[in-house]
Amino acid sequence: MKADNVWIQEQAAAALAPARVARTLTRLAEAWSPEATPLREVIATFPLGAPALIHLLSVSSICATRLIQNPAHLLWLGNREIAAAPRSRARMANDLRTCAGETIAAQNFRALRIWKGREMLRISLREIAEAAPLEETTAELSQLAEICLTEVWKHWDAELRARRGTPSADFAVLGLGKLGGRELNHSSDIDVVFLYSEEGQASPSLSYHEWFNRLGAKIVETFAAVDSAGALFRIDLRLRPEGGAGPLARSLESMENYYAGFGETWERLALIKARGVCGSQELAYEFIRQHQPFIYPKSPTPDLLDEIATIKRRIERDIVGAEDLERDVKLGSGGIREIEFVVQALQLIHGARHAFLQDTSTLKVLSELAGLDLLPREEALALHQAYRFLRRVEHRLQIEAEQQTHTIPSEPGAHDLLARSLGFSGVDEFSTTLRTHRQRVRSVFERIISEPVDGVVATRDDLSIFRDGKSAGKRLTELAQGPTAFHVAPRTRQVFRKLRPLLLQWLGRVADPDATLNQFVRFVEAYGLRSLLFELLVVNPRLLELLARTFDASRASGDLLIRHPQLLEEMTRGDVLNAALPTAEHLRRLGSRNLAAHQLDEVRAYRQKHTLRILLRDVLGLADIESILMELSALAEATLVFVNQLLGAENEVTIIAVGKFGGAEISYGADLDVLLVGENARAAQDLIGAMAQASADGSLATLDARLRPDGEKGPIIGPLESYRRYYEERAQLWELQALTRARAVSGPLAPSLVALAHSTFREAGKRKDLFEQIGAMIARIRRERGSGTDFLDYKTGVGGMIEAEFLVQALQMRSALAQPRTTAAIAELAKTGVFSGPDAERLTESYLFLRRCESALRRVDHKSVPTLPADEFEERKLARRLGFESREALGFRLAECRKAIRQTAAHYLGATLEG
């Protein structure tokens, strides 16, 4: 015994609570069976390590008591298979059967209580040993409750059927709260609702309502009973209809009538986590299906966020108290409940449109909210990390005695034990981490649900970002009040007080705050339900950013959003903005609509919608300029091919792309340069007309066929042989040069025409004076198309886009390189040694920068803008849209790029390019 005492003291010395561990080991040694494996050996070879067991004894008096009362539990835990892995509900239930046999209900469910205590011991040990993540711990605790409910229900159901009649109706127990979310902690109440399928008579003297309410009462009595073998779970029925005043069990119809007539916001929140935990799963499913419109309304009530904020304030005032707001990790400031309220509020607002949000798990929904961009990813990550940390603290508080506590102890010794049990060096380090998480949670909660803090409100009157502050102030007032205050509810003005500082923040970041605000006002007026829109933008600042950037970047796309406000949410669903769509995918989507030739409005709507999608990818920085040009080209090509198919002319009209369309590098609102091959002039005219046909949302595109033989004087479409004769007999050099960008789009003659184009420009590339002629063309274009102010002529001026393109095409002709895309051609010319690596890199970078400038100018109105703005204010706007701090910085970068293009062209063409 003396040797045991020495060993016990050695084990206790390294523990967080030496005296408690020594007492427990002493009593355990006294109760240990002499026939069993020696206690010292069991602990020394413990599967999760002796330190984990000693740690558990330090922090949990109830686990220590269970081991002393049932030493065999320690031998059971010593089985590596038992401790090492999580257990499914089926395996846990099988273990119960093995332990209890057919006597589960005997002696007030004594076997069930002992089994439950043993499982609690195992779950606690795995969590303390960090062998189980939070999800495993909460799932196993929830399974434990489900099995207890199932066994008790089955017993009393059979008893009542034997004595009081046999109803044919189904019965289900719905889990809500943390049970519904599979998120139970070590001392959770289990929130349940008892439901039966229909009314009827179990016997002449007993209705179904009475029968199922007796069943519910028996279940509640069993769980509430005190027993030396241990407690089951505390059942909480206050979330049922009418709370404590309502019947324990209701029929499906009664439930529907109640929620339809009297359901409140807090009940919507509760039912978000509803799921069947025992009884008829079909009935539980039917209940949830039937109440989907109530749980996830398509148009949430305007008072939703206020009601949630009121619930939270009431909790803090009536349950927590001011003295414990910073100590209660569940209900206090920045606690677990605030994370749950944020998640559930967003589920209520967006759940009807996003099925993946209709989940009962807080962590899963947080991930979905981030994935759908309904919650900024950094905020979702902060809530995710805080939730895990706060739940870990909550569990450590409750493992001690399985009491329902969430409050950090005020007694220094207990506080220090808690901190060190969580791996911190002491109270100070723990408190700092706890405070950081709570502040992050509180910040998100206040932004989404509570009123903004006073400090934020002070920025509302800072209108210096506007050129016309007085007009902007009036516009902001109208947003909150409408043209006349009579038409806008107080609630709308209240929500706008939250939105205003966020709106001003984004307006301060755009290039033209005045114009952006005007577009935003028009959008609000078009949206209609301004209170709902304001709440949507408050809880989802990503949408507000999207609107501000779109309205600033493009009047044309802003006008489209104003005409079709529903596109706002369509653009932010799932991964709509995350990936480019190739031509084939556009064709597949268009083809799935089963359209006829007279339904071109739907094709136009598709093109407009996806042009907007591409623009959003552009302004949000989700794709570089080269990708954006290729995406716009793919969309244009798909609509052109699809319309030709709708007209039944895919075999009559062969389409060859040339110009920037051929290079798959068109910008916003560009014409599509094409060559049309064939003999059906009527089909060609119909195609051009259909593409140009206008609607309220504009046309699909203008087909420009001026690069055809004889230009505007020649026929719109011609046979392959006419192209061959023209190129051989009378085509000018610039027409042959244009063939470097020829690319097949569709039609049976496409391969032949492209082959002809390639052989033609390659032959022209053998001319000795090729470079001199192309240099002369560059000079002539500069003289004839320039504005007279060269530094504004970023396209035609010295070192402009055309100079870069002509340089590349000249070298392609000389090298016989068939590659229609400019940057890809530069890369291939570098691979073959025509360009040096540094020259190719510098030319590509400079050319793409000019394309970025062009794109930023064109996307405003989806029209060609041949020169840089001469107005100083417009130049500043362009600079900001391109990410520069000043117009001077933009001018310096432009000068660098144009100088690089000019030097490269002069070097490789061997001409001064003057003239």
Side-chain angles (χ1 to χ4, degrees):
M1 186 63 186
K2 184 176 180 180
D4 283 344
N5 286 338
V6 172
W7 171 77
I8 287 171
Q9 293 306 316
E10 288 174 350
Q11 296 298 313
L16 293 178
R20 173 187 286 181
V21 170
R23 285 195 304 272
T24 302
L25 290 177
T26 299
R27 294 184 62 187
L28 192 57
E30 292 169 351
W32 199 256
S33 170
E35 284 78 31
T37 304
L39 177 62
R40 292 174 62 171
E41 184 179 334
V42 170
I43 293 178
T45 60
F46 204 66
L48 295 179
L53 178 62
I54 299 303
H55 193 169
L56 179 65
L57 299 180
S58 295
V59 299
S60 178
S61 61
I62 193 168
C63 287
T65 299
R66 285 186 178 126
L67 286 174
I68 291 166
Q69 291 175 345
N70 296 281
H73 288 355
L74 186 56
L75 291 171
W76 180 71
L77 289 172
N79 183 327
R80 182 170 298 278
E81 185 182 352
I82 296 296
R87 294 152 73 78
S88 66
R89 176 172 170 172
R91 186 176 177 191
M92 291 170 75
N94 287 338
D95 271 6
L96 172 60
R97 291 272 178 262
T98 301
C99 292
E102 300 303 319
T103 63
I104 291 176
Q107 296 178 282
N108 194 21
F109 291 87
R110 181 175 179 80
L112 181 65
R113 296 172 189 276
I114 293 173
W115 168 84
K116 184 253 184 180
R118 189 176 75 168
E119 287 291 339
M120 292 291 290
L121 185 61
R122 181 187 63 82
I123 294 168
S124 298
L125 175 63
R126 281 175 48 76
E127 180 171 8
I128 287 292
E130 298 186 354
L134 175 66
E135 293 91 333
E136 276 186 19
T137 297
T138 57
E140 289 195 318
L141 289 168
S142 301
Q143 287 169 188
L144 200 56
E146 291 170 29
I147 293 170
C148 290
L149 276 167
T150 301
E151 295 300 332
V152 173
W153 159 65
K154 283 182 177 178
H155 171 75
W156 289 118
D157 183 72
E159 283 283 310
L160 282 174
R161 287 178 186 275
R163 294 188 290 107
R164 302 305 304 268
T166 304
S168 59
D170 291 327
F171 178 78
V173 179
L174 302 175
L176 284 74
K178 284 187 167 57
L179 176 61
R182 297 181 176 85
E183 299 167 335
L184 282 189
N185 56 42
H186 289 271
S187 186
S188 286
D189 290 349
I190 53 174
D191 296 303
V192 297
V193 169
F194 298 140
L195 170 70
Y196 58 96
S197 58
E198 59 190 340
E199 300 292 359
Q201 290 292 127
S203 69
S205 60
L206 195 67
S207 68
Y208 283 2
H209 182 76
E210 294 168 315
W211 196 98
F212 285 112
N213 272 272
R214 291 191 182 192
L215 174 60
K218 284 295 186 182
I219 295 172
V220 173
E221 288 170 13
T222 301
F223 274 82
V226 177
D227 194 282
S228 61
L232 291 175
F233 288 88
R234 294 179 302 273
I235 283 186
D236 190 340
L237 286 153
R238 289 175 295 175
L239 295 181
R240 71 186 189 273
E242 297 184 84
L248 292 181
R250 283 180 183 260
S251 69
L252 187 62
E253 182 180 7
S254 175
M255 291 284 194
E256 183 179 16
N257 291 337
Y258 171 81
Y259 287 118
F262 306 101
E264 298 184 18
T265 294
W266 69 267
E267 290 170 304
R268 295 184 198 273
L269 295 175
L271 290 182
I272 280 176
K273 290 188 174 292
R275 68 181 178 91
V277 295
C278 70
S280 169
Q281 286 299 314
E282 291 78 9
L283 177 58
Y285 173 81
E286 179 59 22
F287 172 87
I288 293 169
R289 185 200 64 77
Q290 193 177 82
H291 289 84
Q292 283 292 95
F294 174 73
I295 304 171
Y296 300 107
K298 289 185 179 178
S299 298
T301 63
D303 296 333
L304 170 65
L305 296 180
D306 267 2
E307 290 179 31
I308 296 174
T310 300
I311 293 169
K312 183 60 170 62
R313 284 193 294 269
R314 192 179 302 129
I315 289 171
E316 292 181 356
R317 183 190 67 227
D318 298 341
I319 300 176
V320 182
E323 68 279 3
D324 287 334
L325 276 180
E326 301 304 318
R327 294 172 53 224
D328 191 316
V329 297
K330 179 183 178 183
L331 303 177
S333 175
I336 296 165
R337 185 53 50 84
E338 289 189 3
I339 299 173
E340 293 170 340
F341 275 167
V342 167
V343 171
Q344 290 167 354
L346 294 175
Q347 284 180 279
L348 285 183
I349 292 171
H350 301 291
R353 294 180 295 278
H354 300 288
F356 288 134
L357 296 181
Q358 297 178 16
D359 198 288
T360 61
S361 165
T362 300
L363 288 178
K364 285 183 181 177
V365 174
L366 260 178
S367 176
E368 292 295 339
L369 288 169
L372 291 166
D373 284 331
L374 297 175
L375 186 66
R377 292 179 185 271
E378 62 275 12
E379 290 188 356
L381 178 61
L383 294 186
H384 183 99
Q385 293 171 339
Y387 184 81
R388 288 186 177 281
F389 178 78
L390 294 171
R391 288 299 305 268
R392 189 164 173 249
V393 174
E394 175 191 53
H395 285 196
R396 201 54 52 90
L397 289 168
Q398 294 178 350
I399 279 175
E400 158 56 26
E402 288 178 13
Q403 295 298 307
Q404 197 173 29
T405 179
H406 312 91
T407 306
I408 304 297
S410 57
E411 195 276 314
H415 197 171
D416 183 66
L417 176 63
L418 172 66
R420 290 191 295 129
S421 77
L422 289 164
F424 292 94
S425 60
V427 168
D428 289 344
E429 185 187 5
F430 166 67
S431 298
T432 299
T433 302
L434 176 63
R435 184 165 52 252
T436 299
H437 282 300
R438 297 179 73 146
Q439 286 172 347
R440 289 173 180 168
V441 172
R442 190 66 169 185
S443 174
V444 179
F445 180 80
E446 285 180 337
R447 183 184 69 75
I448 292 178
I449 293 173
S450 293
E451 285 293 327
V453 295
D454 292 340
V456 176
V457 178
T459 66
R460 293 174 182 169
D461 295 324
D462 181 10
L463 303 180
S464 61
I465 60 173
F466 300 102
R467 298 180 81 190
D468 186 348
K470 183 177 179 181
S471 176
K474 181 180 178 183
R475 291 298 230 172
L476 288 165
T477 300
E478 288 177 359
L479 279 173
Q481 297 183 344
T484 61
F486 174 79
H487 295 292
V488 178
R491 167 63 186 162
T492 302
R493 295 193 290 273
Q494 183 180 5
V495 176
F496 185 70
R497 285 201 299 273
K498 297 181 185 180
L499 177 63
R500 179 166 173 157
L502 301 174
L503 175 61
L504 285 172
Q505 184 181 56
W506 271 111
L507 290 173
R509 296 179 185 178
V510 302
D512 191 344
D514 298 78
T516 303
L517 176 59
N518 287 340
Q519 289 285 76
F520 182 79
V521 171
R522 290 179 61 210
F523 178 79
V524 171
E525 290 169 350
Y527 195 89
L529 300 171
R530 67 174 61 198
S531 180
L532 179 61
L533 173 63
F534 291 167
E535 285 192 344
L536 194 65
L537 297 177
V538 166
V539 301
N540 187 1
R542 173 76 163 175
L543 286 181
L544 182 59
E545 174 192 1
L546 186 151
L547 280 177
R549 287 183 180 275
T550 303
F551 292 148
D552 179 59
S554 175
R555 269 192 299 266
S557 293
D559 288 345
L560 177 67
L561 266 179
I562 289 165
R563 290 194 301 274
H564 305 288
Q566 76 279 1
L567 288 178
L568 174 65
E569 291 182 65
E570 283 188 39
M571 290 296 102
T572 55
R573 287 180 186 165
D575 59 353
V576 168
L577 296 178
N578 292 343
L581 298 181
T583 302
E585 176 60 17
H586 284 304
L587 284 170
R588 185 192 68 77
R589 296 186 181 196
L590 285 165
S592 68
R593 297 173 176 231
N594 298 317
L595 301 179
H598 66 278
Q599 294 177 296
L600 291 181
D601 277 348
E602 291 203 36
V603 184
R604 282 188 282 272
Y606 181 89
R607 170 115 193 247
Q608 290 283 10
K609 172 183 171 180
H610 283 277
T611 300
L612 174 62
R613 182 185 61 80
I614 295 167
L615 181 135
L616 292 176
R617 283 173 48 75
D618 185 2
V619 300
L620 294 174
L622 300 177
D624 60 26
I625 182 60
E626 198 165 13
S627 299
I628 293 299
L629 301 179
M630 292 174 70
E631 289 183 49
L632 288 168
S633 300
L635 176 60
E637 181 176 340
T639 53
L640 174 58
V641 170
F642 185 70
V643 169
N644 201 30
Q645 291 172 351
L646 283 184
L647 297 175
E650 62 265 39
N651 294 319
E652 298 288 328
V653 179
T654 288
I655 304 171
I656 305 296
V658 287
K660 285 189 171 61
F661 186 35
E665 49 193 13
I666 64 169
S667 191
Y668 299 98
D671 293 350
L672 307 184
D673 291 315
V674 294
L675 301 176
L676 303 179
V677 191
E679 300 186 6
N680 191 333
R682 178 62 181 271
Q685 290 286 1
D686 287 346
L687 176 61
I688 292 172
M691 292 295 290
Q693 183 181 336
S695 71
D697 288 329
S699 63
L700 283 168
T702 297
L703 296 188
D704 188 340
R706 287 178 295 175
L707 290 175
R708 67 188 183 271
D710 294 317
E712 293 180 341
K713 296 178 182 178
I716 289 293
I717 188 171
L720 180 64
E721 187 57 34
S722 69
Y723 279 88
R724 190 186 310 279
R725 287 197 306 272
Y726 181 78
Y727 292 142
E728 289 176 353
E729 297 172 5
R730 59 184 190 279
Q732 299 182 51
L733 179 62
W734 66 268
E735 294 176 291
L736 306 181
Q737 178 188 336
L739 296 178
T740 57
R741 289 188 168 188
R743 178 174 62 85
V745 171
S746 71
L749 299 176
S752 299
L753 193 286
V754 170
L756 171 63
H758 290 174
S759 63
T760 300
F761 83 69
R762 285 168 175 158
E763 185 63 29
K766 297 176 183 178
R767 298 183 184 185
K768 291 182 179 180
D769 62 348
L770 174 69
F771 289 173
E772 289 78 5
Q773 288 193 51
I774 289 181
M777 277 193 281
I778 294 172
R780 186 167 63 252
I781 289 171
R782 187 163 65 248
R783 287 194 308 271
E784 295 176 0
R785 297 191 203 170
S787 67
T789 308
D790 186 77
F791 74 88
L792 297 179
D793 296 335
Y794 71 98
K795 295 177 74 173
T796 61
V798 173
M801 281 168 47
I802 287 177
E803 195 165 299
E805 291 164 353
F806 275 39
L807 163 64
V808 174
Q809 290 160 15
L811 294 176
Q812 284 183 257
M813 294 172 75
R814 181 69 88 206
S815 305
L817 172 65
Q819 171 51 262
R821 189 156 56 87
T822 303
T823 54
I826 294 172
E828 292 191 31
L829 289 167
K831 283 182 182 178
T832 59
V834 176
F835 273 130
S836 72
D839 283 347
E841 185 176 339
R842 191 165 64 142
L843 180 62
T844 299
E845 184 180 321
S846 299
Y847 176 70
L848 288 178
F849 182 76
L850 295 185
R851 294 305 309 269
R852 276 187 64 209
C853 294
E854 177 197 38
S855 178
L857 291 167
R858 290 188 70 115
R859 72 189 180 202
V860 174
D861 288 311
H862 289 192
K863 293 179 180 177
S864 176
V865 183
T867 63
L868 296 171
D871 178 78
E872 185 176 317
F873 175 65
E874 293 297 323
E875 193 176 351
R876 276 202 301 269
K877 288 198 299 186
L878 176 62
R880 291 199 69 177
R881 286 169 182 155
L882 290 169
F884 291 91
E885 291 295 324
S886 66
R887 53 191 284 269
E888 290 78 15
L890 169 61
F892 180 76
R893 179 62 179 143
L894 276 165
E896 277 188 328
C897 292
R898 292 177 64 174
K899 181 180 179 181
I901 292 172
R902 162 43 58 104
Q903 289 177 342
T904 307
H907 174 73
Y908 285 93
L909 293 182
T912 62
L913 305 177
E914 298 293 342

